[in-house]
Amino acid sequence: MVMEIVCPAGTPAALRAAVKAGAHTVYCGFNDETNARNFPGLNFDRSEMRAGIAFAHAHGAKVLVAINTFPRAGEQTLWHRAIADAHHAGADAVILADAGLLAHAARMHPDLRLHLSVQAAAANADIINYYAEVFGVKRVVLPRVLSVPEIAAINAETGVETEVFVFGGLCVMAEGRCSLSSYATGLSPNMNGVCSPASHVDYHDDGGVLDARLGGYTIHRTAKNAPAPYPTLCKGCFSAGEKTGHLFEDPVSLNAEALIPQLLKAGVTALKIEGRQRSKSYVAQVVGNFRAAVDALAEGRPMPKGMLTRLSEGQAMTTGAYRKTWR
Amino acid sequence: MELTIGPNQFFWSAEKWSAFYQDLASAPVERVVLGELICSKRLPFFQDRIPDAVTMLLEAGKEVALTSLALVTLKRERKQTAALAEMGLCIEVNDLSVLPHLPKGAPFWVGPLINVYNEGTLAWLAGLGATRVCLPPELPLASVATLARAAADLGVAIEVWGHGRLPLAISGRCYHARLHNRSKDNCQFACEDDPDGLEVRTINHQPFMAMNGVQTLSDSYACTDHQIELLAEAGVSALRLSPQSQGFLTICQAYRDRLDGRLPEGGIAAAARDLAPEVRLSDGFLTGESGVAWSGSAPAKTTV
């Protein structure tokens, strides 16, 4: 069996590039706060979504529509409409996080396939099976806090397909359960679809050093001409006790390509690439590489090695929680 | 409005734990949620004291519930979670993994770490038996008011995070262990040294967060001194006060006096500052630009 490559598309051009590069599946969202990458200039309007899905289907690829923020009280209609429009546009599934929204979709769109977003942070077989039983969820995107043996244990106890992140940004907090961003800026992944938003970033020149600040808090300090990482809150440099450093996580991104054979063995159905905010050339290159890897694996050929390091934009790479070093 | 005491978020010695709940029995609060919320490794240290504490609090006329863990991943934690549901006491759900284990139709409470952002989720939980929901702390006042109206129709009581360091994130990784270059499995209970969490500052010394094992909290103590009238008007039925190691009964009494009209607006903040002059307070999630904001002595800006 070939593992399914699930690829991000922030724009119609990226969707087409991903499909042409060999993505089995593309995920994308509407251009509003219903999706967790609600960045200016990104995402699809209704007609772009219909055209994108038609293009993917014509090329034998599937499209998943992420509607994975938590609907705002009093304004659930916006999210309900997004589900109906995705369904109508021919989406192969919607990716949801909010329990009330799952209940709505299961009731109003019984023939629409439901995937559980990573933002639901379903981290054990009991709750995954419960989502399947109650809402008919067919696939779960696993949180990035689990190790490969834990993923294998989950797959041994559930018939729900599992999808795991293998490349791109890395959350170290349980996804969908973090309000660090709204504490500092007022905007959060759950409510607004953004984390550490660029609108609240500023760079402050402090006598030869450059402070990268978020909501007025210094997240990184670098020498004036050194490259400054984006001030993502949980990957900042802080002090506690006697220690100063990256107390939560280093400014690293996830690359689990070396673990693909183990993930297959662990029963994982699909490999997900993070980055709907990325360019179409980045997306095409990452997809091409991962597709080559899973095809090689399926045909018993050796995996191509170390192919993606240069795409990490100078950031260090990590296998995250998948290797058990977090424990 | 009533007062609910949330589960202690920190790791205290068994003696301190028992003494805390003994004192709480005489505090002017309506209900208490207790048990281990953050880390399953802490539970064996005080587990055998829970039944006595529950009995004592019930005898003192408090409603009592046991909390679930906030993040259930390991086999051991799943077993603990299943066992919790069979104890015959009211459960406060802080990870949805509890739901499949609850006796069908039995009433339960929902804690602040469950994502109840809208009427749909509230109605779904009410349909399963939820009778009390403490809303996620990041919700603004307008959402609180909308949810309180919906809850009234569903017969669900709504609580809001009233006082204490805000629970901002939970992780699979233990930051206290990481700070001491230890693995989570070999943490040697580094979090025990910080009974209110360990202060995390920015590189230019600005207080920002607090670490507590796998949890990350705000540096500031949330305080609803300036929102009490707005919250009551919105239909909120209880404020949740989160245990702190020093002066907690004083905080409880200040809220009680403020709710009963014996303490003017500003009185709770003053009491908190009397206890700890350096304490930083916040109420921004409810009425400010960002969570850390504090409306200070100025009248609250937003109305329902």
Side-chain angles (χ1 to χ4, degrees):
Chain A
M1 189 196 76
V2 183
M3 296 178 93
E4 180 181 330
I5 302 296
V6 181
C7 172
T11 61
L15 179 144
R16 292 191 295 272
V19 168
K20 286 181 191 158
H24 302 106
T25 302
V26 175
Y27 67 101
C28 48
F30 290 119
N31 53 355
D32 57 33
E33 58 202 308
T34 60
N35 90 87
R37 288 287 183 283
N38 180 24
F39 301 152
L42 270 198
N43 301 313
F44 292 60
D45 68 24
R46 264 46 179 183
S47 75
E48 288 169 340
M49 187 64 82
R50 283 193 297 273
I53 291 172
F55 178 87
H57 286 174
H59 290 77
K62 293 186 285 186
V63 175
L64 315 177
V65 179
I67 304 169
N68 57 347
T69 48
F70 293 81
R72 190 165 50 254
E75 298 180 45
Q76 299 179 102
T77 321
L78 181 66
W79 281 259
H80 294 171
R81 204 182 314 129
I83 292 175
D85 290 349
H87 193 187
H88 193 65
D92 295 279
V94 288
I95 309 172
L96 310 181
D98 180 61
L101 206 52
L102 283 156
H104 170 87
R107 191 171 59 241
M108 303 301 290
H109 305 275
D111 57 338
L112 178 60
R113 186 178 156 99
L114 304 181
H115 289 189
L116 190 67
S117 169
V118 71
Q119 298 300 118
N124 65 64
D126 299 329
I127 187 63
I128 292 167
N129 288 332
Y130 187 72
Y131 277 113
E133 185 193 316
V134 176
F135 304 124
V137 163
K138 296 287 191 289
R139 179 182 294 182
V140 54
V141 185
L142 293 176
R144 284 162 277 196
V145 297
L146 298 170
S147 66
V148 172
E150 286 166 352
I151 292 169
I154 286 174
N155 278 317
E157 289 187 63
T158 183
V160 178
E161 296 173 1
T162 55
E163 178 174 312
V164 302
F165 280 96
V166 287
F167 197 78
L170 174 70
C171 278
V172 289
M173 308 303 183
E175 295 95 336
R177 308 186 69 182
C178 178
S179 39
L180 288 169
S181 179
S182 53
Y183 181 70
T185 73
L187 299 173
S188 76
N190 285 2
M191 295 195 300
N192 312 94
V194 295
C195 172
S196 306
S199 55
H200 288 68
V201 171
D202 72 283
Y203 293 89
H204 179 72
D205 184 346
D206 189 8
V209 292
L210 191 68
D211 281 359
R213 301 192 302 197
L214 181 75
Y217 289 104
T218 296
I219 306 298
H220 291 288
R221 175 170 288 180
T222 45
K224 208 167 177 181
N225 296 314
Y230 186 86
T232 303
L233 225 160
C234 56
K235 298 184 187 78
C237 186
F238 303 110
S239 294
E242 307 284 285
K243 198 164 167 178
T244 297
H246 297 99
L247 302 182
F248 301 102
E249 178 57 292
D250 301 318
V252 289
S253 67
L254 177 69
N255 183 2
E257 57 173 324
L259 300 179
I260 295 174
Q262 287 166 258
L263 292 167
L264 176 65
K265 225 180 200 169
V268 169
T269 298
L271 304 176
K272 183 166 202 151
I273 296 158
E274 185 274 346
R276 277 183 278 155
Q277 68 280 23
R278 300 290 190 169
S279 71
K280 64 177 183 183
S281 61
Y282 169 96
V283 163
Q285 198 166 355
V286 177
V287 171
N289 283 316
F290 271 97
R291 179 65 192 264
V294 296
D295 285 348
L297 187 63
E299 292 159 17
R301 290 184 280 117
M303 293 255 299
K305 278 221 170 62
M307 51 198 178
L308 291 166
T309 316
R310 68 203 156 83
L311 279 173
S312 67
E313 299 179 337
Q315 285 204 326
M317 298 281 214
T318 176
T319 52
Y322 294 136
R323 288 201 211 276
K324 252 191 140 212
T325 48
W326 279 19
R327 271 201 216 303
Chain B
M1 276 188 292
E2 297 178 336
L3 294 174
T4 300
I5 307 306
N8 172 34
Q9 304 187 92
F10 307 103
F11 187 30
W12 295 347
S13 71
E15 292 72 28
K16 177 162 178 60
W17 191 93
S18 289
F20 178 84
Y21 287 102
Q22 191 124 35
D23 288 349
L24 211 52
S26 57
V29 302
E30 277 73 18
R31 69 187 63 74
V32 179
V33 184
L34 74 177
E36 182 53 45
L37 177 68
I38 302 302
C39 178
S40 59
K41 289 179 69 178
R42 297 173 179 172
L43 189 58
F45 290 91
F46 65 92
Q47 192 165 20
D48 56 351
R49 294 173 182 245
I50 293 177
D52 285 349
V54 168
T55 306
M56 183 184 57
L57 291 165
L58 287 171
E59 281 172 359
K62 319 289 187 207
E63 291 177 41
V64 177
L66 292 176
T67 182
S68 77
L69 284 167
L71 182 63
V72 178
T73 55
L74 305 175
K75 192 124 203 161
R76 176 183 79 230
E77 294 163 350
R78 289 167 63 198
K79 280 190 181 152
Q80 274 175 15
T81 305
L84 189 71
E86 285 159 15
M87 287 185 69
L89 278 162
C90 181
I91 303 301
E92 175 163 292
V93 174
N94 274 300
D95 182 310
L96 290 178
S97 307
V98 189
L99 293 181
H101 301 297
L102 289 176
K104 242 191 162 58
F108 61 92
W109 301 350
V110 175
L113 302 184
I114 298 296
N115 286 332
V116 183
Y117 282 84
N118 53 66
E119 307 91 309
T121 300
L122 185 66
W124 179 68
L125 287 166
L128 295 173
T131 56
R132 171 170 295 280
V133 174
C134 181
L135 296 175
E138 78 166 350
L139 281 178
L141 185 60
S143 294
V144 170
T146 302
L147 287 166
R149 275 194 298 276
D153 295 338
L154 296 164
V156 172
I158 289 292
E159 275 182 24
V160 162
W161 189 270
H163 194 95
R165 279 188 156 158
L166 291 152
L168 296 179
I170 190 95
S171 175
R173 168 180 281 187
C174 176
Y175 302 115
H176 257 101
R178 182 173 154 90
L179 188 74
H180 290 84
N181 298 315
R182 296 171 194 157
S183 71
K184 186 170 156 190
D185 286 342
N186 182 36
C187 67
Q188 298 168 43
F189 301 97
C191 59
E192 193 175 21
D193 297 336
D194 301 300
D196 294 289
L198 176 64
E199 201 170 85
V200 175
R201 291 173 176 262
T202 66
I203 204 158
N204 46 6
H205 315 296
Q206 194 178 2
F208 191 8
M209 297 177 272
M211 68 167 69
N212 172 37
V214 296
Q215 185 189 35
T216 305
L217 300 136
S218 61
D219 161 74
S220 67
Y221 284 68
C223 174
T224 41
D225 193 354
H226 299 295
Q227 285 81 20
I228 278 178
E229 285 74 15
L230 294 170
L231 292 168
E233 190 188 326
V236 171
S237 81
L239 294 176
R240 171 163 297 220
L241 313 182
S242 186
Q244 59 189 57
S245 70
Q246 303 297 322
F248 190 58
L249 290 187
T250 306
I251 297 292
C252 294
Q253 190 63 53
Y255 273 87
R256 172 53 59 208
D257 289 347
R258 175 85 171 80
L259 290 173
D260 293 349
R262 289 190 299 271
L263 196 64
E265 182 173 344
I268 298 171
R273 291 218 164 88
D274 281 348
L275 281 171
E278 297 296 305
V279 74
R280 290 162 291 274
L281 302 173
S282 65
D283 56 13
F285 277 139
L286 282 170
T287 54
E289 291 287 309
S290 60
V292 66
W294 170 239
S295 46
S297 53
K301 294 168 216 120
T302 313
T303 51
V304 177

